[in-house]
Amino acid sequence: MARAWTKMAVSSTKMMVMIMMMTSTISAKEQLSTKECEDLGFTGLALCSDCHSLSEYVKDQELVSDCLKCCADDSEDSMSKVTYSGAILEVCMRKLVFYPEIVGFIEEEKEKFPSVNVQYIFNSPPKLIMLDEDGEHKETIRIDNWKREHLLQYMREKVKPTSAS
């Protein structure tokens, strides 16, 4: 009987060590750059909770690990406070016909956001490239299925207003 208890205690200890190793790996996770994440296929605002959901359905640990390196914390407060100095709305001119909501934004709303520029790049899916104070790319967000009002709301919340001249 004592042998069974000892064996169970050793198993429990091993399990606890494995759990601690896994949580320390996740909490001290390495972050990848926006470009590296795009190259891996992770674009937009992937939340870390999405990666945990992914792990329930996909048994590829490397894919889940890459997702965790590219995700944003789920904290509502931390995400709502992030703002950008400007943005680039990148889209392929030939594909614009398939995105009437984006066309409407460009033609009728874009002038409200002087720090947002439109770039026409061949074969590019519609996306926002968010810029910091130095004009460096901080985040890329695919906007294929966004409605015009969502694009407007996002711009109002996330792009710092420029000083009137």
Side-chain angles (χ1 to χ4, degrees):
M1 182 87 166
R3 187 176 237 171
W5 282 107
T6 305
K7 211 174 197 181
M8 200 157 63
V10 169
S11 288
S12 296
T13 305
K14 285 182 183 178
M15 181 77 80
M16 291 295 286
V17 169
M18 284 179 56
I19 289 171
M20 289 187 331
M21 285 175 51
M22 286 174 58
T23 55
S24 68
T25 303
I26 291 170
S27 64
K29 69 179 179 166
E30 163 193 356
Q31 286 291 111
L32 297 178
S33 72
T34 302
K35 178 72 175 132
E36 291 171 315
C37 290
E38 277 186 15
D39 292 344
L40 290 170
F42 296 104
T43 58
L45 293 171
L47 297 175
C48 292
S49 61
D50 295 334
C51 297
H52 296 298
S53 296
L54 176 70
S55 70
E56 293 176 21
Y57 299 99
V58 176
K59 299 304 174 198
D60 183 345
Q61 285 305 109
E62 186 177 355
L63 178 65
V64 173
S65 173
D66 289 342
C67 182
L68 289 168
K69 292 175 188 174
C70 295
C71 68
D73 288 330
D74 295 50
S75 166
E76 187 68 37
D77 290 339
S78 66
M79 288 307 290
S80 65
K81 293 176 185 172
V82 174
T83 59
Y84 302 95
S85 292
I88 299 169
L89 194 162
E90 186 178 292
V91 66
C92 176
M93 192 175 274
R94 291 180 178 199
K95 292 182 180 180
L96 268 177
V97 69
F98 300 112
Y99 303 106
E101 299 283 340
I102 294 170
V103 171
F105 175 83
I106 292 170
E107 291 177 351
E108 299 171 26
E109 310 288 353
K110 193 253 170 243
E111 74 250 1
K112 296 176 184 173
F113 304 96
S115 61
V116 175
N117 296 312
V118 178
Q119 282 186 351
Y120 298 101
I121 307 291
F122 179 72
N123 217 22
S124 176
K127 60 184 152 192
L128 286 173
I129 301 168
M130 307 310 290
L131 307 172
D132 65 8
E133 293 80 23
D134 301 322
E136 297 292 319
H137 296 192
K138 293 308 284 179
E139 188 169 16
T140 301
I141 305 161
R142 292 280 298 264
I143 57 171
D144 310 58
N145 299 313
W146 285 28
K147 299 279 185 215
R148 183 157 102 184
E149 59 266 18
H150 298 144
L151 194 51
L152 263 170
Q153 179 183 358
Y154 186 81
M155 291 296 194
R156 284 188 199 115
E157 292 174 5
K158 297 296 184 179
V159 178
K160 293 177 190 170
T162 55
S163 54
S165 45

